[in-house]
Each structure stands twice: as structure tokens, then as C-alpha cells.
Amino acid sequence: MNKIINNSKTKLSSLFQNIKRKKYLQGLVGKHGQIIEKDDKIIVNVNPKKIKKTKYFNVINLYRTNNFEVEKELKNAFEIIKLNKPIFFIFNGIIFDKDVYLSSMSFHIIFKNCTFKECLHLNSSISVTLENNKYQNQTTEYSCGQAGLIGKLTIINDNFVNNSKTKVDIRANKVNIINSNICAENKGQITIETKEMNLTDSTITGSEVYLNADSITSSNSIIKSNNGVMIDNENSDFKGNVQAPLFVYNGINLSNHNEVISIDEEKIELQKMRQVLLQRLRNLRDYCKYINNMEVKEIENKLNKQRVSQIVKKKTI
């Protein structure tokens, strides 16, 4: 009898927990669209009608809470009710006719097959994926947030062209650019700052390109610029193609008359040796100039000390 009662209590407790769980999940993310729960993740297919619109912007704020202490408590609660799964918000096939401002803290964001008629600003998230989108009027800064706020940014099958004079600014802990074209026209700059970067089957083009990454992998890709490319690579592991009239890699000038340069360790070491040799030649040139100047000054001093009569006498002999 006691066993039956205990089993009933367990089932009842489990039922209440599932009801509580579904209710909380609905309250947390259900207001944004359809929920699909899988074994390893929760997917929210965003309903475009649920996106907040102002007169000039599309504002997408996705937060469980803005309070980090409460966020920590929620994480513990999620583990108890088995909600500790990654949550993905998918924006699929949505036409954004105004600037888009996205802010998120705890979620993974995917923009897929979307059309951005104005600008896209990504401020923070665990991860952001841009896949097969259309960008029609990028006339102001395209920003992927501030350093460290986006965990991973993936750009795949995308053709992003910024047609203004402002810069393309990409900052994330990890950046993947796959089968994509990132272009800044009209003297626009491209700046990418990340800890880890993967460039595959892609092209990055801008009047100036600045890349700062601890680690870089590149496959069948090229970085191009009309003015110059500067790469700071802490691990010195970049092996890729660059085309620019000026190319500086880790402080080493590898420029080659706007020809495509394929980076490898041998080429970098050779260039280092050339720069050392050039510096030694410059030092030798400067030393020779110094010696010549000292000799000239010494002769001038001797002449200045002689009396005019002595100088005239020497000339008449």
C-alpha cells in the first residue's frame, strides 16, 4: 500500500514539475514564436509579428534577466527542472525594412534567408549566425558588437556589401567566415578583432583591412585591399593569401607591388632577415654620414683657428 502511495506521489510530483516547466518555458520564450524542444536544445522559430518596431528601428531584446545574480539563480533552477539546454532563436525569411538592433545575453541567434533593407547591429549573444541573407542598403556602420560580448559569430553563404564610407566592425571571441564575401565599398574600412578566426572559401575586401586575432586558419580564401592590409597574429599561424599595395604582418612589411602574397613561415623568416639586413645597412649609412660630418667639422675648426695671414701665405706659395 505504501509503495502504491509513494509511486502516486512521485508521478504527481513529476506531473506538477512538467506543468511548471512548460509554463515557465512558455513565459520565457514562447511570446516570441513557436517552441520546438529537442533532446539537446530548444528552438524558437520567431514570429515576425512579435518583433518590436519603432518609427525608425526593429528592436530585438532577448533576455532572461538583466541581473547577473538572478541569472545565476535561474541557471540552477533550470538544472532542477531540466531546462538547462541551449536555446536557439531562429529568424527565417523575415524582411526587415528598418535598422535592426539585437541585444541578447543567454541565447543563440540565427538569421537565415532574411532581407535587411537597412542596417544590422548585433550587440551581444552567446553566438550569432548569419546565413544566406540579403543586404540591400547598408549605408551606415555594420557592427557585430563589442569585443567579448559575442561568443561566436558565424557568417555562412552570405554576401555582405557595405556601400558607405563607414567601417565594417566585427568583434567576437570566435569568428567563422565560410563561403562568404565581406566587402566595404567607397573607402570603407574592415576591422575584425577576435581570439580565433576561421576563413574558408571566402573573400574579404576593403580600402583598408585590419585583422587582430590570436589564431587564424585560412583555406581557399583571400584578403584584398586597395590601400593596405595589417594583420596582428599572436600565434603567427596565419597561412593565407593577401593582395594589397601595402601588407604588414606582425610588424613585418611583406608588400609586393599589389601582387597576391601567399604567407608561409619561410617567406616570413626571409623577410625578417631582409629587414635586419636593411636596418644594418641603414645603420652603416648613418654611421658613415656621422664620420664624414665629424671630419668636415674638424677641418672647419682647424681653418677657423688659423690666422688669415697664414691662410693667405699658403695660397701664395
Side-chain angles (χ1 to χ4, degrees):
M1 186 69 177
N2 289 334
K3 186 176 181 181
I4 295 173
I5 293 173
N6 290 333
N7 287 338
S8 298
K9 286 182 178 180
T10 301
K11 289 180 181 179
L12 189 61
S13 175
S14 179
L15 178 62
F16 281 130
Q17 189 179 78
N18 286 333
I19 292 172
K20 182 179 179 181
R21 184 176 179 279
K22 289 180 180 180
K23 185 177 179 180
Y24 187 84
L25 182 60
Q26 186 66 32
L28 176 67
V29 297
K31 58 186 177 181
H32 297 289
Q34 179 190 16
I35 300 173
I36 300 174
E37 185 171 359
K38 297 189 176 183
D39 291 339
D40 59 341
K41 59 187 172 183
I42 296 168
I43 297 172
V44 181
N45 289 315
V46 176
N47 184 341
K49 294 181 180 180
K50 301 294 185 180
I51 298 173
K52 180 181 177 181
K53 294 184 179 181
T54 67
K55 185 176 180 180
Y56 301 105
F57 309 116
N58 290 288
V59 181
I60 304 171
N61 291 322
L62 302 174
Y63 291 103
R64 290 195 296 213
T65 172
N66 290 324
N67 188 306
F68 285 96
E69 290 300 321
V70 176
E71 185 77 14
K72 187 176 180 181
E73 291 179 8
L74 281 176
K75 185 177 179 181
N76 295 331
F78 286 168
E79 291 179 359
I80 295 172
I81 61 176
K82 298 181 180 179
L83 265 181
N84 53 331
K85 300 178 182 180
I87 299 177
F88 290 78
F89 281 83
I90 300 179
F91 300 80
N92 192 355
I94 299 176
I95 299 175
F96 296 96
D97 58 352
K98 302 175 183 178
D99 282 16
V100 176
Y101 285 84
L102 169 73
S103 294
S104 171
M105 185 191 299
S106 310
F107 306 117
H108 303 263
I109 311 300
I110 299 174
F111 289 98
K112 185 176 182 180
N113 304 318
C114 292
T115 299
F116 298 95
K117 292 187 176 182
E118 296 297 335
C119 299
L120 173 61
H121 304 264
L122 307 174
N123 295 320
S124 62
S125 189
I126 294 175
S127 72
V128 176
T129 299
L130 304 174
E131 181 177 356
N132 196 37
N133 299 298
K134 294 179 181 179
Y135 308 87
Q136 294 184 355
N137 187 29
Q138 295 295 317
T139 57
T140 58
E141 181 177 340
Y142 167 67
S143 175
C144 283
Q146 300 176 1
L149 290 182
I150 292 182
K152 180 171 70 172
L153 173 68
T154 299
I155 302 173
I156 181 170
N157 299 330
D158 243 28
N159 182 36
F160 178 85
V161 178
N162 184 337
N163 52 26
S164 74
K165 292 183 180 180
T166 55
K167 67 180 181 179
V168 176
D169 188 14
I170 298 176
R171 302 177 187 224
N173 288 334
K174 184 175 182 179
V175 175
N176 296 318
I177 302 177
I178 304 167
N179 193 33
S180 296
N181 174 42
I182 309 297
C183 178
E185 295 182 339
N186 299 325
K187 298 182 180 181
Q189 297 179 346
I190 296 178
T191 299
I192 302 176
E193 295 190 27
T194 182
K195 292 181 180 179
E196 182 180 346
M197 181 171 179
N198 171 37
L199 189 61
T200 303
D201 299 323
S202 297
T203 301
I204 297 176
T205 308
S207 66
E208 295 177 1
V209 179
Y210 174 67
L211 172 58
N212 186 342
D214 293 351
S215 181
I216 309 170
T217 58
S218 178
S219 174
N220 194 33
S221 300
I222 188 168
I223 301 172
K224 302 168 69 175
S225 172
N226 294 329
N227 295 326
V229 173
M230 181 179 290
I231 298 178
D232 289 330
N233 177 205
E234 184 172 333
N235 296 339
S236 299
D237 54 2
F238 172 65
K239 295 179 178 63
N241 299 319
V242 175
Q243 184 178 17
L246 175 64
F247 173 38
V248 178
Y249 176 73
N250 283 348
I252 302 170
N253 190 338
L254 297 175
S255 306
N256 188 27
H257 307 290
N258 209 30
E259 298 293 327
V260 176
I261 301 171
S262 297
I263 302 301
D264 55 51
E265 292 181 6
E266 183 178 351
K267 185 171 295 184
I268 293 171
E269 287 302 317
L270 179 61
Q271 191 63 19
K272 283 182 179 178
M273 293 174 64
R274 286 176 178 171
Q275 290 196 341
V276 170
L277 177 59
L278 285 173
Q279 188 58 49
R280 288 179 178 176
L281 291 174
R282 292 190 190 101
N283 293 340
L284 181 60
R285 177 201 62 193
D286 294 341
Y287 179 73
C288 290
K289 284 184 178 180
Y290 171 77
I291 294 298
N292 289 335
N293 289 335
M294 291 298 295
E295 289 179 352
V296 170
K297 286 184 178 180
E298 186 177 352
I299 293 171
E300 287 180 348
N301 290 334
K302 286 182 180 179
L303 290 174
N304 289 332
K305 289 179 180 179
Q306 292 178 349
R307 290 182 299 180
V308 175
S309 59
Q310 290 178 319
I311 297 173
V312 172
K313 184 178 180 180
K314 287 182 180 179
K315 287 185 177 180
T316 57
I317 294 176

Short mmCIF file of all heavy atoms in Angstrom, two decimals, residues 24 28 62-75 78 104-107:
data_model
loop_
_atom_site.label_atom_id
_atom_site.label_comp_id
_atom_site.label_asym_id
_atom_site.label_seq_id
_atom_site.Cartn_x
_atom_site.Cartn_y
_atom_site.Cartn_z
N TYR A 24 6.83 27.74 -17.47
CA TYR A 24 7.95 28.66 -17.39
C TYR A 24 8.59 28.86 -18.76
O TYR A 24 8.93 29.98 -19.14
CB TYR A 24 9.01 28.16 -16.40
CG TYR A 24 10.10 29.17 -16.19
CD1 TYR A 24 9.94 30.20 -15.26
CD2 TYR A 24 11.26 29.14 -16.95
CE1 TYR A 24 10.91 31.16 -15.08
CE2 TYR A 24 12.24 30.10 -16.78
CZ TYR A 24 12.07 31.10 -15.85
OH TYR A 24 13.03 32.05 -15.69
N LEU A 28 9.02 32.24 -20.75
CA LEU A 28 10.37 32.71 -21.04
C LEU A 28 10.57 33.08 -22.50
O LEU A 28 11.05 34.16 -22.84
CB LEU A 28 11.39 31.64 -20.62
CG LEU A 28 12.86 31.93 -20.93
CD1 LEU A 28 13.36 33.10 -20.10
CD2 LEU A 28 13.71 30.69 -20.67
N LEU A 62 16.42 40.12 -26.24
CA LEU A 62 16.18 38.75 -25.78
C LEU A 62 16.99 38.52 -24.51
O LEU A 62 18.18 38.22 -24.56
CB LEU A 62 16.59 37.74 -26.86
CG LEU A 62 15.89 37.90 -28.21
CD1 LEU A 62 16.47 36.94 -29.23
CD2 LEU A 62 14.38 37.68 -28.08
N TYR A 63 16.34 38.69 -23.37
CA TYR A 63 16.99 38.50 -22.08
C TYR A 63 16.12 37.62 -21.19
O TYR A 63 14.91 37.76 -21.17
CB TYR A 63 17.21 39.84 -21.36
CG TYR A 63 18.23 40.73 -22.00
CD1 TYR A 63 17.84 41.81 -22.78
CD2 TYR A 63 19.58 40.48 -21.83
CE1 TYR A 63 18.79 42.64 -23.36
CE2 TYR A 63 20.54 41.30 -22.40
CZ TYR A 63 20.14 42.38 -23.17
OH TYR A 63 21.07 43.19 -23.75
N ARG A 64 16.76 36.73 -20.46
CA ARG A 64 16.04 36.07 -19.36
C ARG A 64 15.91 37.06 -18.22
O ARG A 64 14.87 37.17 -17.58
CB ARG A 64 16.80 34.82 -18.91
CG ARG A 64 16.75 33.70 -19.94
CD ARG A 64 17.19 32.39 -19.37
NE ARG A 64 18.58 32.36 -18.94
CZ ARG A 64 19.35 31.29 -19.01
NH1 ARG A 64 18.87 30.17 -19.50
NH2 ARG A 64 20.58 31.32 -18.60
N THR A 65 17.01 37.79 -18.00
CA THR A 65 17.01 38.85 -16.99
C THR A 65 18.25 39.69 -17.22
O THR A 65 19.25 39.22 -17.77
CB THR A 65 17.04 38.27 -15.57
OG1 THR A 65 17.22 39.35 -14.65
CG2 THR A 65 18.16 37.29 -15.38
N ASN A 66 18.20 40.94 -16.81
CA ASN A 66 19.37 41.80 -16.91
C ASN A 66 20.25 41.72 -15.67
O ASN A 66 21.33 42.32 -15.63
CB ASN A 66 18.93 43.26 -17.12
CG ASN A 66 18.33 43.47 -18.50
OD1 ASN A 66 18.78 42.87 -19.45
ND2 ASN A 66 17.33 44.31 -18.58
N ASN A 67 19.79 41.00 -14.65
CA ASN A 67 20.50 40.90 -13.39
C ASN A 67 21.35 39.63 -13.38
O ASN A 67 20.84 38.52 -13.47
CB ASN A 67 19.50 40.89 -12.22
CG ASN A 67 20.20 41.00 -10.88
OD1 ASN A 67 21.10 40.23 -10.57
ND2 ASN A 67 19.76 41.96 -10.08
N PHE A 68 22.67 39.78 -13.26
CA PHE A 68 23.56 38.62 -13.35
C PHE A 68 23.39 37.67 -12.17
O PHE A 68 23.56 36.46 -12.32
CB PHE A 68 25.02 39.09 -13.45
CG PHE A 68 25.37 39.64 -14.79
CD1 PHE A 68 25.35 41.00 -15.03
CD2 PHE A 68 25.72 38.80 -15.84
CE1 PHE A 68 25.66 41.52 -16.27
CE2 PHE A 68 26.04 39.31 -17.08
CZ PHE A 68 26.00 40.67 -17.30
N GLU A 69 23.07 38.19 -10.99
CA GLU A 69 22.85 37.33 -9.83
C GLU A 69 21.59 36.49 -10.02
O GLU A 69 21.56 35.29 -9.73
CB GLU A 69 22.74 38.18 -8.56
CG GLU A 69 24.05 38.83 -8.14
CD GLU A 69 25.12 37.79 -7.84
OE1 GLU A 69 24.80 36.74 -7.25
OE2 GLU A 69 26.28 38.04 -8.20
N VAL A 70 20.54 37.14 -10.52
CA VAL A 70 19.30 36.40 -10.81
C VAL A 70 19.55 35.38 -11.92
O VAL A 70 19.04 34.26 -11.89
CB VAL A 70 18.17 37.38 -11.21
CG1 VAL A 70 16.92 36.60 -11.62
CG2 VAL A 70 17.86 38.33 -10.07
N GLU A 71 20.37 35.76 -12.89
CA GLU A 71 20.70 34.86 -13.99
C GLU A 71 21.38 33.59 -13.46
O GLU A 71 21.11 32.48 -13.91
CB GLU A 71 21.63 35.58 -14.97
CG GLU A 71 21.96 34.80 -16.24
CD GLU A 71 20.83 34.82 -17.24
OE1 GLU A 71 19.90 35.62 -17.09
OE2 GLU A 71 20.89 33.99 -18.16
N LYS A 72 22.24 33.75 -12.48
CA LYS A 72 22.92 32.61 -11.87
C LYS A 72 21.93 31.70 -11.16
O LYS A 72 22.00 30.47 -11.25
CB LYS A 72 23.98 33.12 -10.90
CG LYS A 72 24.87 32.05 -10.33
CD LYS A 72 25.95 32.66 -9.46
CE LYS A 72 26.85 31.58 -8.88
NZ LYS A 72 27.90 32.18 -8.00
N GLU A 73 20.98 32.31 -10.44
CA GLU A 73 19.96 31.53 -9.75
C GLU A 73 19.06 30.79 -10.74
O GLU A 73 18.67 29.64 -10.51
CB GLU A 73 19.12 32.45 -8.87
CG GLU A 73 19.89 33.03 -7.68
CD GLU A 73 19.03 33.96 -6.85
OE1 GLU A 73 17.82 34.03 -7.12
OE2 GLU A 73 19.57 34.62 -5.94
N LEU A 74 18.75 31.46 -11.85
CA LEU A 74 17.92 30.82 -12.88
C LEU A 74 18.62 29.60 -13.47
O LEU A 74 17.99 28.59 -13.75
CB LEU A 74 17.61 31.83 -13.99
CG LEU A 74 16.49 32.83 -13.71
CD1 LEU A 74 16.38 33.81 -14.86
CD2 LEU A 74 15.16 32.12 -13.50
N LYS A 75 19.94 29.70 -13.63
CA LYS A 75 20.70 28.58 -14.17
C LYS A 75 20.56 27.36 -13.27
O LYS A 75 20.37 26.23 -13.75
CB LYS A 75 22.16 28.97 -14.33
CG LYS A 75 23.00 27.90 -15.00
CD LYS A 75 24.44 28.38 -15.19
CE LYS A 75 25.27 27.29 -15.83
NZ LYS A 75 26.69 27.72 -16.01
N PHE A 78 17.09 25.99 -13.66
CA PHE A 78 16.93 25.28 -14.94
C PHE A 78 17.44 23.84 -14.84
O PHE A 78 16.89 22.93 -15.45
CB PHE A 78 17.69 26.01 -16.05
CG PHE A 78 17.01 27.27 -16.50
CD1 PHE A 78 17.67 28.17 -17.30
CD2 PHE A 78 15.71 27.56 -16.11
CE1 PHE A 78 17.05 29.33 -17.73
CE2 PHE A 78 15.08 28.71 -16.52
CZ PHE A 78 15.75 29.60 -17.33
N SER A 104 21.13 40.40 -26.81
CA SER A 104 20.80 39.13 -26.18
C SER A 104 21.89 38.80 -25.18
O SER A 104 22.99 39.33 -25.25
CB SER A 104 20.68 38.03 -27.23
OG SER A 104 20.57 36.76 -26.62
N MET A 105 21.59 37.93 -24.23
CA MET A 105 22.60 37.55 -23.25
C MET A 105 22.78 36.04 -23.20
O MET A 105 23.90 35.53 -23.21
CB MET A 105 22.23 38.06 -21.86
CG MET A 105 23.29 37.80 -20.81
SD MET A 105 22.71 38.13 -19.14
CE MET A 105 22.31 39.86 -19.24
N SER A 106 21.70 35.31 -23.20
CA SER A 106 21.75 33.89 -22.86
C SER A 106 21.40 32.97 -24.02
O SER A 106 21.27 31.77 -23.82
CB SER A 106 20.79 33.61 -21.70
OG SER A 106 20.99 34.51 -20.65
N PHE A 107 21.25 33.52 -25.22
CA PHE A 107 20.69 32.71 -26.30
C PHE A 107 21.60 32.69 -27.53
O PHE A 107 22.49 33.52 -27.70
CB PHE A 107 19.31 33.25 -26.70
CG PHE A 107 18.35 33.35 -25.54
CD1 PHE A 107 17.85 34.58 -25.13
CD2 PHE A 107 17.97 32.22 -24.85
CE1 PHE A 107 16.98 34.68 -24.07
CE2 PHE A 107 17.09 32.31 -23.77
CZ PHE A 107 16.60 33.54 -23.38
#
